[in-house]
Amino acid sequence: MLVEESPLARQLAERIIANGPISIADFFATANMHYYGTRDPLGKEGDFITAPEISQMFGELIGLWFADIWLRMNKPRVHFIELGPGRGTLARDALRAMAMVGLQPDLHLVETSLTLRLRQAENLTGPTWHEDVSSLPDDAPLFIMANEFFDALPIQQIVKDGPIWRKRMVDFADGRFVPELGREIPLEIVPEKLRFATNGSIIETSPASVRVMGDIAQRIRAQGGVGLIVDYGYEGVALGETLQAVKAHQYASPFEEPGERDLTAHVDFETLGAMAELQGVKLCGPIGQGQWLARLGLVERAAALGDVHPDRAQQFADERDRLVGEDAMGRLFKAFAFYNPDWPEPDGF
Ligand code: SAH
């Protein structure tokens, strides 16, 4: 697609021509706002598929995981919050499982995309929508869920350039968006162990993710409750670029067709955890999604469903393998929980 054919690309190009290169985070945020705002990207016909779309067992086990904590706390009134709920499939499956033990929380969805809010409205009854976490209710403990949400939040990158570090920017040249080196970064703000990395090394940070993490951890500390993040990511500030674009289930360049490809970056769990701990909550994990789901009984659940529906036994076994398989989602995806120190330690870690 040529830049002239996309209004968003044209707008970005004009901005860069008028004011100079923009940050990676700015490019990322603008592209994804358009991307999610204009389509439902999930499923076979879309660009990517997520765990709740692969199997109902994923949301059900998560619902039971929250319900277990609720029972151990003697059934307080709670709100169920989901950040970036996609089609609402996880919430639907989790709420159905929660209801089996009598847990019926109010439902709050943090979602910026109107297109996806419409899908969520089809799948869920009576949710309250929020643009961001600042308007979440403050009158009861929170059960907060985020599956493949943090990877969609913008990142910044810095690049080693000879003896110094520079911010990475996006420029527009010869009709294309191209990464470019920007202003120098003071050495003091580069993590000490990485300061002397080799020429061309990249470090990523996600200020937007750290801000959301701080806000929700502070809520959990003040109001009670637990949060669960499932996403692909790594532990500890590291060298290397994870910024990527996905289109039609294939990796693609993140700098082409802004707003037409899903931009993501791996989640830095150590930095999120450090921010959460600063707010006074306790942490569990991260551990591999496969290990965590297996400890919650996914293998037994798949077998039980197969016994009840013998014609679909193979389907449930396949879904199980995709969720826990080391070469599928089991290892790259991680489960990571944070909880109020007066609440019981969550299961599965
Ligand atoms: N959790 C769902 C969807 C993951 S896709 C699933 O597992 O299937 C990412 C979701 O986050 C989408 O619903 C998208 O619209 C939403 N999203 C992306 N950026 C956001 C932002 N800045 N604020 C709120 N929601 C956002």
Side-chain angles (χ1 to χ4, degrees):
M1 185 195 294
L2 295 168
V3 167
E4 300 79 60
E5 291 168 15
S6 150
L8 179 80
R10 208 175 328 123
Q11 227 178 66
L12 274 169
E14 282 166 6
R15 243 176 79 198
I16 293 171
I17 291 164
N19 303 321
I22 59 174
S23 69
I24 296 270
D26 196 349
F27 183 83
F28 189 134
T30 310
N32 265 8
M33 188 63 88
H34 178 86
Y35 176 80
Y36 284 108
T38 52
R39 77 207 69 204
D40 169 4
L42 293 153
K44 262 208 199 82
E45 274 74 49
D47 288 332
F48 61 95
I49 190 152
T50 56
E53 300 298 331
I54 288 173
S55 175
Q56 67 181 71
M57 295 186 287
F58 186 73
E60 288 169 350
L61 286 175
I62 286 172
L64 294 175
W65 180 86
F66 280 112
D68 165 61
I69 297 164
W70 180 72
L71 290 170
R72 284 194 276 152
M73 273 308 273
N74 268 322
K75 309 185 178 182
R77 177 172 168 249
V78 295
H79 298 288
F80 182 64
I81 317 288
E82 191 175 356
L83 311 182
R87 292 177 170 173
T89 309
L90 189 159
R92 189 192 59 199
D93 294 338
L95 289 166
R96 189 178 57 242
M98 290 176 189
M100 290 188 333
V101 296
L103 170 54
Q104 288 178 303
D106 293 339
L107 176 60
H108 294 265
L109 305 175
V110 177
E111 175 62 71
T112 42
S113 162
L114 282 182
T115 311
L116 286 169
R117 283 187 185 195
L118 285 173
R119 287 306 298 259
Q120 292 152 18
E122 290 166 12
N123 279 326
L124 299 162
T125 37
T128 305
W129 281 280
H130 302 261
E131 277 295 304
D132 56 53
V133 296
S134 62
S135 54
L136 290 175
D138 58 8
D139 61 341
L142 304 180
F143 282 171
I144 302 178
M145 177 69 218
N147 186 63
E148 290 210 45
F149 168 73
F150 282 93
D151 68 77
L153 298 187
I155 55 152
Q156 295 280 20
Q157 295 180 330
I158 59 172
V159 186
K160 187 82 187 298
D161 179 29
I164 61 169
W165 288 87
R166 292 184 185 278
K167 190 166 171 179
R168 201 170 188 218
M169 310 293 287
V170 181
D171 200 358
F172 185 73
D174 302 326
R176 306 160 65 93
F177 295 98
V178 284
E180 189 194 77
L181 296 183
R183 68 176 166 77
E184 181 174 352
I185 298 292
L187 202 58
E188 302 79 65
I189 65 170
V190 179
E192 211 164 333
K193 60 177 182 191
L194 305 177
R195 273 180 203 167
F196 303 104
T198 53
N199 200 25
S201 297
I202 291 181
I203 301 176
E204 296 179 340
T205 57
S206 177
S209 300
V210 174
R211 197 175 326 122
V212 173
M213 184 73 229
D215 287 351
I216 58 179
Q218 196 194 0
R219 293 300 199 111
I220 297 273
R221 172 70 220 209
Q223 294 168 231
V226 302
L228 175 67
I229 297 173
V230 180
D231 224 313
Y232 42 92
Y234 55 94
E235 283 179 72
V237 190
L239 292 175
E241 175 171 34
T242 71
L243 174 65
Q244 63 189 29
V246 173
K247 185 170 180 165
H249 303 269
Q250 305 282 330
Y251 291 115
S253 161
F255 299 108
E256 287 167 21
E257 299 191 311
E260 302 301 321
R261 302 173 177 189
D262 178 40
L263 293 186
T264 73
H266 286 212
V267 172
D268 173 359
F269 286 105
E270 189 172 311
T271 300
L272 292 189
M275 185 59 180
E277 276 186 317
L278 273 180
Q279 313 304 320
V281 298
K282 288 192 180 172
L283 308 180
C284 291
I287 67 166
Q289 165 180 305
Q291 201 182 2
W292 186 72
L293 288 173
R295 286 183 185 161
L296 297 188
L298 178 74
V299 177
E300 295 77 7
R301 177 83 183 131
L305 282 170
D307 288 343
V308 181
H309 308 279
D311 51 319
R312 290 169 64 199
Q314 189 55 46
Q315 175 204 328
F316 291 121
D318 291 345
E319 293 175 5
R320 174 200 65 205
D321 291 346
R322 290 181 70 182
L323 294 178
V324 305
E326 294 271 296
D327 300 324
M329 300 180 82
R331 199 205 322 242
L332 176 62
F333 281 76
K334 310 260 188 318
F336 177 65
F338 52 100
Y339 61 106
N340 182 295
D342 299 330
W343 281 55
E345 187 179 332
D347 192 23
F349 290 92

